[in-house]
Amino acid sequence: MVLIIRGDNFMEQKSMTALISAFARAYHSVQNIEKVFDDYLAKDILTKNEYEQISSNMSKGINFFNPSFDGTQEEALQWIVDNQLSPTPLGRSAFAEKALETAVRVGAKQYVIFAAGYDTFAYRQPDWASNIQIFELDHPAIGSDKQKRIQSVLSEKPINLHYVSVDFTENNWENNLIACFEFDQSKISFCSLLGISYYLSKRTFAETLNTISCIVPKGSSIIFDYPDEDSYTTRAGERTKKQVALAGEANEKMLASYSYLELKSLLADSNFLVYEHLTPPEITEQYFKKYNKLNPEHPITAFDNVNYCLAVKN
């Protein structure tokens, strides 16, 4: 998805998905004392113009998201962020980083972030992550843009972070990762595929899982979110229907959805076993309950039809 941002003297193409996700994390971190997930660097990597323009565009679109809404522009923005934009970026990030910490404590030595976008983990990494190698995989254009943003925020790149330029539409993307001197195929890896499954065909997603399985050892993990089998049907939740419509208008069509049994079989074909699986009610209970108790006037619930999965190679 591409967003054209027009400033006084420039026009740039950026990933809208990555920008909106960063905006949602930034808004939540800035606006709340109790946080579902605290990405305190997200706002710093967005320009003032980007943050204000996304805020304005979203608040003006309240009639699309909630035709019966009655309130101020700022209240409209908060409603859209809490209901439409932030549930998935916040929930899946909290899920992934909690699982990563557990994996590191039991032996994982490498963290591989697929389609890293504007993920900021490497730049706010806690002490327990200092001994792992972190690999950010993304398209060269997005990776370069992200690095420029980070350089304006931090003076030095973390010594355990490595950028790997890849084109996921090519069948040999893994060659660039393997060619990275610091990547060791014998070391247990934790692989994040957040936000990817929606936009890959079932065949491509299966091939991606199989490729990962071929380059990481037993005990390695993959973590991802995915749309359930009702996502693109009339049974889908209203938020999901709006999300699919927006993606279609932006030429970023969502291609696949899965039942749990189908997903379990797909993973097994690549020697992965489901270790943890969360449905929307379970996500809300585990990650949003404390926040909602303190913010009953604007609660956040896990996104409709989106499940989280952590699987381990056997």
Side-chain angles (χ1 to χ4, degrees):
M1 187 181 295
V2 173
L3 172 66
I4 304 297
I5 296 183
R6 293 178 172 81
D8 293 336
N9 300 307
F10 66 95
M11 181 185 294
E12 300 176 305
Q13 289 189 332
K14 303 181 179 72
S15 166
M16 180 182 286
T17 300
L19 280 173
I20 296 299
S21 180
F23 171 80
R25 299 193 310 271
Y27 183 92
H28 181 78
S29 181
V30 170
Q31 296 293 325
N32 296 284
I33 296 175
E34 173 62 37
K35 301 171 178 59
V36 174
F37 178 77
D38 186 12
D39 189 344
Y40 56 85
L41 288 179
K43 194 171 189 294
D44 292 336
I45 64 174
L46 296 172
T47 67
K48 184 171 184 270
N49 180 54
E50 286 168 340
Y51 192 87
E52 292 177 350
Q53 187 170 352
I54 294 173
S55 297
S56 177
N57 290 344
M58 286 299 166
S59 62
K60 290 176 181 177
I62 187 62
N63 288 335
F64 172 77
F65 295 108
N66 184 357
S68 63
F69 181 83
D70 182 21
T72 66
Q73 197 168 36
E74 181 56 41
E75 289 170 339
L77 177 61
Q78 182 171 29
W79 190 96
I80 292 171
V81 173
D82 288 347
N83 286 274
Q84 195 75 31
L85 302 185
S86 70
T88 294
L90 296 179
R92 71 188 181 193
S93 295
F95 176 64
E97 292 191 13
K98 177 182 178 183
L100 172 63
E101 180 177 6
T102 299
V104 170
R105 295 196 186 284
V106 298
K109 299 298 183 182
Q110 301 180 142
Y111 181 27
V112 185
I113 310 173
F114 288 73
Y118 301 124
D119 183 281
T120 64
F121 174 81
Y123 312 97
R124 50 178 173 77
Q125 57 179 289
D127 291 341
W128 55 259
S130 61
N131 292 323
I132 65 172
Q133 299 300 312
I134 304 171
F135 303 86
E136 291 191 351
L137 280 60
D138 217 328
H139 188 278
I142 297 177
S144 177
D145 178 62
K146 194 253 193 79
Q147 291 168 45
K148 289 178 182 177
R149 293 169 183 269
I150 288 297
Q151 288 169 5
S152 68
V153 178
L154 302 176
S155 58
E156 295 183 1
K157 178 176 78 70
I159 59 174
N160 61 338
L161 171 62
H162 316 285
Y163 300 116
V164 182
S165 295
V166 298
D167 185 342
F168 292 110
T169 64
E170 301 292 335
N171 293 326
N172 61 347
W173 60 261
E174 71 276 13
N175 291 344
N176 287 15
L177 176 59
I178 294 172
C180 183
F181 177 77
E182 292 81 6
F183 182 74
D184 189 336
Q185 290 183 255
S186 69
K187 291 184 177 179
I188 293 177
S189 299
F190 185 95
C191 303
S192 168
L193 286 78
L194 299 181
I196 293 178
S197 67
Y198 309 81
Y199 307 106
L200 300 180
S201 67
K202 290 187 177 183
R203 177 179 178 179
T204 301
F205 188 51
E207 291 173 347
T208 301
L209 295 176
N210 187 61
T211 299
I212 293 172
S213 181
C214 289
I215 62 175
V216 299
K218 179 180 178 180
S220 294
S221 306
I222 56 173
I223 196 163
F224 57 95
D225 51 331
Y226 74 94
D228 69 24
E229 68 270 35
D230 290 335
S231 295
Y232 313 134
T233 72
T234 56
R235 296 188 298 275
E238 287 304 312
R239 290 186 295 179
T240 296
K241 292 177 181 177
K242 293 183 187 302
Q243 199 79 355
V244 171
L246 288 172
E249 290 178 4
N251 296 318
E252 193 171 74
K253 186 177 180 181
M254 296 183 178
L255 299 176
S257 60
Y258 304 86
S259 69
Y260 174 73
L261 292 179
E262 182 181 17
L263 185 77
K264 186 177 180 182
S265 176
L266 190 70
L267 289 165
D269 289 341
S270 293
N271 298 315
F272 283 104
L273 294 177
V274 174
Y275 182 80
E276 185 175 9
H277 184 271
L278 297 180
T279 62
E282 292 168 333
I283 295 167
T284 298
E285 176 66 19
Q286 288 197 33
Y287 293 101
F288 300 128
K289 184 177 181 179
K290 184 177 180 180
Y291 171 86
N292 290 341
K293 185 175 181 180
L294 296 175
N295 298 277
E297 69 283 4
H298 49 89
I300 301 177
T301 58
F303 210 81
D304 316 322
N305 307 104
V306 174
N307 301 326
Y308 299 167
C309 183
L310 171 65
V312 179
K313 184 179 177 183
N314 62 5

